[in-house]
Amino acid sequence: MARVKLTVNGSEVSREVEDRTLLVQFLRDHLGLTGTHVGCDTSQCGACVVHLDGHAAKSCTILAVQAAGASVTTIEGLADGDRLHPVQAAFREHHGLQCGFCTPGMIMTAVDMINRHAGRLDEKTVRHELEGNICRCTGYQNIVKSVLAAADEMRPGLSLSGLQAAE
């Protein structure tokens, strides 16, 4: 057993875990943050994407002990109550989800993508960067549309942590 201390969604947490506990299991089972989904357990689907020290990471490939001392943001950490993050708002407005299972990972990947590209994205880049995230319900058209809309909104001076009021 190991004691893992890290910051999750802005709050410091500390728990005893088995050495083999994956970060996704730590978030879901030890902290009750079930927005991070387990889809495949093999790093293929992207449903488990979180931000680890500000960068997208598949939490099914990282041991909780490896994340000790790090800062983790989950899908629950993007919104501020009723105020959605611009990417969450764009997914809602442009129907970038269907069943919703892949949506948290898609959104977390999109936030990281927009950050790395300073909001300057085109359809080809978005499609390429989403290759590590699988959606079994859609043809990705509305997901891509959502990411591009969020990137356009966030580019003109909004910080990436800027929030938009929910309607």
Side-chain angles (χ1 to χ4, degrees):
M1 297 287 275
R3 177 156 292 279
V4 175
K5 294 179 183 180
L6 58 149
T7 302
V8 178
N9 298 331
S11 297
E12 290 186 22
V13 297
S14 177
R15 300 285 191 284
E16 288 279 332
V17 297
E18 291 185 37
D19 294 340
R20 64 183 180 185
T21 302
L22 295 171
L23 180 57
V24 69
Q25 295 168 319
F26 180 79
L27 295 169
R28 291 179 59 82
D29 301 341
H30 295 268
L31 301 181
L33 297 171
T34 58
T36 302
H37 294 158
V38 178
C40 67
D41 281 331
T42 59
S43 179
Q44 301 295 314
C45 74
C48 68
V49 173
V50 298
H51 290 179
L52 183 64
D53 289 332
H55 300 284
K58 292 182 178 179
S59 61
C60 74
T61 64
I62 301 165
L63 295 171
V65 295
Q66 290 175 298
S71 176
V72 176
T73 304
T74 69
I75 190 72
E76 292 94 342
L78 286 183
D80 181 17
D82 290 339
R83 293 169 48 98
L84 297 177
H85 185 279
V87 176
Q88 291 171 309
F91 266 68
R92 184 183 66 190
E93 182 179 338
H94 298 282
H95 310 289
L97 58 98
Q98 205 150 27
C99 83
F101 192 80
C102 70
T103 305
M106 290 280 187
I107 288 173
M108 298 306 287
T109 298
V111 170
D112 179 63
M113 180 191 326
I114 292 167
N115 187 27
R116 286 183 292 103
H117 291 277
R120 300 189 189 291
L121 291 169
D122 58 33
E123 181 176 345
K124 182 179 177 184
T125 303
V126 172
R127 287 185 180 278
H128 174 74
E129 294 226 6
L130 287 178
E131 286 179 358
N133 294 73
I134 296 173
C135 175
R136 291 187 163 102
C137 298
T138 72
Y140 292 87
Q141 188 60 33
N142 287 342
I143 293 170
V144 172
K145 184 178 176 182
S146 299
V147 174
L148 291 171
D152 284 346
E153 180 181 331
M154 292 168 68
R155 185 181 316 125
L158 270 181
S159 72
L160 290 179
S161 61
L163 300 173
Q164 172 180 314
E167 294 178 2

